[in-house]
Amino acid sequence: MMGDKLLFENVSKIYGEGDNKVTALDNISLNVRAGEFVAIVGPSGSGKSTFLSIAGALLSPSKGRLLLNNEDITSLSSKELTRVRLEKIGFVFQSSNLVPYLTVRDQLLLISELIGKRDKKTVKKADELLSHLGLGHRADHLPEALSGGERQRVAIARSLMNDPEIILADEPTASLDSKRGRDVVEMLAHEVKSRNKAAIMVTHDERMLDLCDRVVNITDGKVFG
C-alpha cells in the first residue's frame, strides 16, 4: 500500500488577533499519497496560497500538524525547515523563477550547491534530467533564449533535482497558452507517476483538471472533495 507523502491534520492558519482576526485555513485535514497528483482549486482569497505555503514549509500552521513523509515538521526551527525545503520539496512557480544569468544546467545545480553537494554525479544527474525532458540541447543557454514552455520544463527539471518527496506547483500554466500549458502539466503528471512522487498543483485552469487524480476545492479556508 502506498504511504502518505503529505498529511495535513486539523490545520488552521489564523492571522491577526481580536477584531482583526482572519482565518485563512479552517481545520483542514488532507492527505496526498505517493504517485498521486492533486489539483487545488478555489476562488481568489480562498486560502490556496496559504495552503501551498504551509505544504512547502514556508509558513507554520497556527493549529494542527503537518507531516511530510511521516516526519512531523510542525514545530521545527527555521533552520530545520530550510533543510526540509531543500531536501524534500520541489517547487514549480507561476513564472518559472529562473535566475536570468545562469545557464539551464546551472539552474538545476543551484539546489545542489545550496545543499553543498555539487559534484560530477550531480552534473550528470542534471544533464540526464534535461535530456529526459527534451532540453539537452538547451543546457548551455540562458533563460532569455528559451520559450515559455521550455522555461517551465526547466523549472520541472529543477524541482526534481533534489529527489523530493513532494512537488508543489503554483499556477504552472499561468504564463502559457493552452497547448504549452497542457504539455507542461502532462509532463509533470508523468514525472509524478514514474518517480512515485506526490504533487499538488494550485490552478485556475480547469482544462488541466482531467490530468490530475483528484481535485480538491478550497473555499473560505475549508476543503471540499
Side-chain angles (χ1 to χ4, degrees):
M1 187 165 138
M2 295 186 298
D4 290 330
K5 287 285 186 186
L6 183 72
L7 181 63
F8 276 65
E9 270 186 1
N10 307 112
V11 167
S12 294
K13 183 65 179 177
I14 299 159
Y15 296 104
E17 294 176 1
D19 292 344
N20 297 321
K21 193 164 78 168
V22 175
T23 302
L25 292 183
D26 188 2
N27 199 33
I28 282 182
S29 292
L30 181 76
N31 68 318
V32 185
R33 306 178 84 76
E36 190 176 26
F37 187 24
V38 175
I40 302 283
V41 298
S44 294
S46 59
K48 300 190 304 296
S49 296
T50 301
F51 176 87
L52 209 61
S53 294
I54 288 177
L58 295 161
L59 270 183
S60 295
S62 305
K63 297 176 184 172
R65 294 199 313 157
L66 180 70
L67 280 78
L68 188 60
N69 210 31
N70 296 321
E71 178 188 3
D72 186 345
I73 68 168
T74 315
S75 53
L76 295 183
S77 69
S78 58
K79 186 178 179 183
E80 289 168 325
L81 284 173
T82 298
R83 171 191 61 81
V84 167
R85 286 194 299 273
L86 286 172
E87 295 181 359
K88 299 193 172 184
I89 302 170
F91 294 94
V92 181
F93 296 102
Q94 191 167 336
S95 56
S96 75
N97 273 39
L98 301 181
V99 184
Y101 52 83
L102 289 182
T103 65
V104 165
R105 181 186 291 110
D106 284 338
Q107 307 282 345
L108 271 62
L109 294 172
L110 189 58
I111 299 287
S112 304
E113 285 188 357
L114 290 170
I115 303 172
K117 289 184 179 172
R118 177 169 176 158
D119 54 24
K120 281 183 181 173
K121 195 171 162 186
T122 55
V123 174
K124 183 167 183 266
K125 181 176 182 179
D127 284 341
E128 284 173 353
L129 265 174
L130 290 173
S131 176
H132 176 66
L133 295 182
L135 293 160
H137 63 301
R138 295 296 208 183
D140 296 314
H141 291 201
L142 293 172
E144 64 184 18
L146 308 183
S147 69
E150 285 174 328
R151 285 192 203 115
Q152 283 299 57
R153 279 191 277 154
V154 174
I156 291 171
R158 183 179 60 186
S159 77
L160 293 165
M161 258 312 274
N162 58 346
D163 197 25
E165 302 295 341
I166 187 158
I167 296 164
L168 303 175
D170 184 11
E171 299 280 2
T173 65
S175 57
L176 305 174
D177 64 42
S178 57
K179 182 187 183 309
R180 286 186 176 84
R182 192 166 181 87
D183 288 346
V184 162
V185 177
E186 281 178 345
M187 185 167 284
L188 194 53
H190 175 75
E191 295 307 313
V192 169
K193 300 293 176 198
S194 63
R195 297 170 192 271
N196 207 31
K197 302 298 180 190
I200 294 173
M201 175 178 70
V202 165
T203 185
H204 279 105
D205 196 339
E206 295 190 351
R207 294 167 299 183
M208 306 299 162
L209 298 183
D210 62 300
L211 296 168
C212 301
D213 299 307
R214 185 159 44 116
V215 179
V216 174
N217 195 300
I218 295 186
T219 305
D220 297 329
K222 296 178 185 289
V223 297
F224 303 90

